[in-house]
Amino acid sequence: MNRLIGRVLVAVACVGLSAGSAQAQWNDPAVVEALKQIERDMGQAMVAVDLETLNRIFADDWTSIGASGTVVTKEKVLRDFTSGVDRLEAFELGPMDVQVKGNVAVVHGSVTEKRTRAGKDVGGEYVWMDLMEKRNGTWVVVRSAGAKVR
């Protein structure tokens, strides 16, 4: 399963980076920091169950391959946070790597979470990757993938 997730992460990164504009500047420090802030905001919004912020961060067509290998939609994530099925109590992000090309960016890193899902402890250490796209002047997460490492 971890090999499948790893292959998906690599494929998403390659597709995302090849989709950017050739004329755009790579890795503008201000853009890199803005994308890292979106990641921090996402975690804080999950802890606070701030659905308005999560709705703004995730594109309407967002999907993710979760740590269990299942495909998750934006609608399901928002519903699970609303109902309390998914509950992020605390998180600590590790270092993040950001690669930007035009209106497309890949952000990946690690996180340690205290989390429950359907009443079961699923906390631990994870690696993750988000594919972001600038749409109508705003960066949104369009695809995600993650895997539990401990």
Side-chain angles (χ1 to χ4, degrees):
M1 179 58 69
N2 284 341
R3 282 187 179 167
L4 173 64
I5 291 172
R7 288 180 182 151
V8 169
L9 290 173
V10 170
V12 169
C14 291
V15 169
L17 289 176
S18 67
S21 165
Q23 301 142 332
Q25 194 174 19
W26 281 78
N27 297 324
D28 176 316
V31 173
V32 168
E33 183 53 38
L35 295 173
K36 287 180 178 182
Q37 187 60 51
I38 290 169
E39 297 293 350
R40 292 186 287 267
D41 292 347
M42 181 192 313
Q44 291 167 353
M46 288 179 179
V47 170
V49 191
D50 180 350
L51 300 179
E52 183 178 318
T53 298
L54 292 174
N55 191 49
R56 196 172 50 248
I57 289 173
F58 294 122
D60 289 341
D61 59 341
W62 174 84
T63 59
S64 175
I65 299 175
S68 66
T70 58
V71 176
V72 180
T73 64
K74 176 180 177 175
E75 179 183 342
K76 179 168 178 19
V77 163
L78 296 178
R79 185 174 59 241
D80 286 354
F81 274 104
T82 300
S83 69
V85 167
D86 194 350
R87 192 166 163 82
L88 181 61
E89 297 173 37
F91 72 101
E92 184 175 333
L93 287 168
M96 290 181 261
D97 181 67
V98 180
Q99 296 296 312
V100 180
K101 175 121 186 201
N103 289 335
V104 178
V106 176
V107 184
H108 65 90
S110 62
V111 64
T112 302
E113 295 181 344
K114 183 175 181 185
R115 181 188 288 257
T116 58
R117 188 167 289 121
K120 182 179 174 186
D121 180 6
V122 294
E125 294 178 35
Y126 292 83
V127 292
W128 54 268
M129 184 176 72
D130 287 327
L131 176 63
M132 297 190 183
E133 183 178 17
K134 194 171 192 178
R135 295 182 178 175
N136 300 319
T138 303
W139 287 98
V140 292
V141 180
V142 295
R143 295 290 182 272
S144 300
K148 188 171 186 175
V149 293
R150 277 191 251 204

